[in-house]
């Protein structure tokens, strides 16, 4: 028997065939030829894996695959996604969704902008001036600096204030943030020397006091934003640590991580230090992320005394860690919303999503279900929980109402895949063989887009395996609860 792979038509044959004419005229010969080779390779691989797999010989079959492949390759790699996962600060989906004014600000400066240009004098300005006044106003700090992200802020603080000198930090705070940010590693790369004190669960003032000496560069406090310690624990409060530092003449650097600008305690969140509180507790320098609880763009925010921030600004490393104009524009517009906490609560999507009421979410879920049913998709609501994400409030579960699009026998994964492959792609949760859509993280203006995307994905799943569409619960209501 001859090798079935010999049935695969050659590149030349396919390119010369009628089915390929429109493809060649749209994409050009070179790109089509390369896509043909990709499809041929897939067919060969499948034939090698499964001896009985049919090897298509028809030009039309190849033209269809090649067209899909070319479309896929032509799409941008970084695309907008509808986040229906219910994870508000979804790091893999770009963490915080920007507020409308921040989006407009980004578009506004996309051309030329006064990034380092003094509009009064026509002379050179500094990009490091842009968000400073707002940050000072909002946190009460004397000085401020914006860098590329919070990891960069911590790196720059350590390198500037403790090069070749000891950073005294509790063993209970040598954290890993994820995405390969481990405090001991960053600390070593910064050129500072780690001086760990205390035990994993308990650190006392005397532990810090015993470590202070002529080699000390600074005291570091790292907020445990992404995990909780319970049981037999003790830590030294920031205020007491700052006083210890003051006695010894060394600054306290407080890495807040998630860094909220408004206190979410009134909505039932556990207390988190805000930047102004951390400063009034005596920290010389406070660092935090721009795209966690603040709900702005990826950025690292440094606030504190000029005596510490000025040298950070002049450090040559600051050049390597500096933010771009799009970041600064988005951050400035986001910060402006915090001048009135009521406005921030309504207009910063991350804050709005975190404090959304159970009644509002239930109403939105009901509305989505009604629209999905109109579009011919079986769906129903169920009680569930959303997560904050971004390593913030790790133990908090936010009650929500999700939309359940049912599936049996593993078809939920097919539907979730179809949703990811849609336009725009939708990220959803799959749980117990069902696809869950959480309205908390979907902008109300995106609801029609979501409904259309789910209907299209359901149709795509049905088209692949008509029998499976019924199994996927797409043609009848689904039962069961997600608690
Ligand atoms: C998230 C976090 C960081 C890193 O911030 P990025 O903005 O992601 O670089 C650093 N420290 C703490 C405590 C954090 O929670």
């Amino acid at each position: 028997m001859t090798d079935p792979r010999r049935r695969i038509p050659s590149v030349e044959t396919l390119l010369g065939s009628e089915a390929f004419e429109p493809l060649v005229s749209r994409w050009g010969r070179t790109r089509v030829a390369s896509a043909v080779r990709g499809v041929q390779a897939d067919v060969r691989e499948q034939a090698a894996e499964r001896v009985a797999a049919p090897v298509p010989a028809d030009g039309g079959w190849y033209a269809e695959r090649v067209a899909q492949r070319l479309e896929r390759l032509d799409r941008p790699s970084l695309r907008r996604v509808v986040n229906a996962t219910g994870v508000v600060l979804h790091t893999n989906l770009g963490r915080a969704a920007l507020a409308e004014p921040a989006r407009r600000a980004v578009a506004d400066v996309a051309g030329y902008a006064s990034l380092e240009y003094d509009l009064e004098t026509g002379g050179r300005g500094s990009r490091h001036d842009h968000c400073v006044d707002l940050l000072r106003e909002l946190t009460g700090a004397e000085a401020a600096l914006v860098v590329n992200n919070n990891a960069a802020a911590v790196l720059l603080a350590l390198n500037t204030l403790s090069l070749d000198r000891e950073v005294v930090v509790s063993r209970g705070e040598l954290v890993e943030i994820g995405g390969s940010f481990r405090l001991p590693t960053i600390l070593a790369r910064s050129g500072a020397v780690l001086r760990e004190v205390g035990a994993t669960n308990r650190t006392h003032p005397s532990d810090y006091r015993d470590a202070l000496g002529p080699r000390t560069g600074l005291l570091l406090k790292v907020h445990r934003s992404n995990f909780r310690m319970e049981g037999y624990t003790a830590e030294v409060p920031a205020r007491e640590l700052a006083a210890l530092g003051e006695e010894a003449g060394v600054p306290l650097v407080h890495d807040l991580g998630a860094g909220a600008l408004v206190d979410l305690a009134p909505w039932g969140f556990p207390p988190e230090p805000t930047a102004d509180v951390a400063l009034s507790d005596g920290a010389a320098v406070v660092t935090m992320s721009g795209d966690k609880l603040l709900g702005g763009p990826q950025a690292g925010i440094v606030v504190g005394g000029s005596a510490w921030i000025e040298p950070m600004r002049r450090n040559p490393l600051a050049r390597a860690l500096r933010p771009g104009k799009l970041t600064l524009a988005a951050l400035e517009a986001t910060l402006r919303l915090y001048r009135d906490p009521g406005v921030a609560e309504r207009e910063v999507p991350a804050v709005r999503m975190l404090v959304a009421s159970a009644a509002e979410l239930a109403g939105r879920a009901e509305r989505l279900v009604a629209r999905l049913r109109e579009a011919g998709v079986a769906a129903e609501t169920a009680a569930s929980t959303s997560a904050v994400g971004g390593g913030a409030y790790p133990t908090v579960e936010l009650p929500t109402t999700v939309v359940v699009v049912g599936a049996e026998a593993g078809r939920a994964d097919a539907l979730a895949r179809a949703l990811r492959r849609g336009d725009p792609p939708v990220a959803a949760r799959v749980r117990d063989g069902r696809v869950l859509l959480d309205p908390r993280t979907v902008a109300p203006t995106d609801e029609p887009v979501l409904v259309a995307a789910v209907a299209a994905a359901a149709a795509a799943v049905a088209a692949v395996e008509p029998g499976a569409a019924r199994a996927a619960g797409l043609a009848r209501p689904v039962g069961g609860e997600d608690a």
Side-chain angles (χ1 to χ4, degrees), residues 95 149-151 177 181 222-223 225 255-258 289 291-292 299:
R95 282 210 188 136
N149 54 25
N150 189 33
I177 309 297
F181 178 92
V222 182
H223 182 56
S225 54
D255 174 19
L256 282 187
S289 286
D291 55 355
K292 290 187 182 171

Side-chain angles (χ1 to χ4, degrees), residues 31 43 170 180 242 248 253 291 301 352 355 364 369 373 378 410 432 443 468:
R31 286 171 80 182
V43 172
S170 161
S180 71
V253 172
D291 55 355
I301 294 171
R352 190 179 64 216
V355 305
R364 290 185 54 202
V369 163
R373 286 179 179 167
D432 299 334

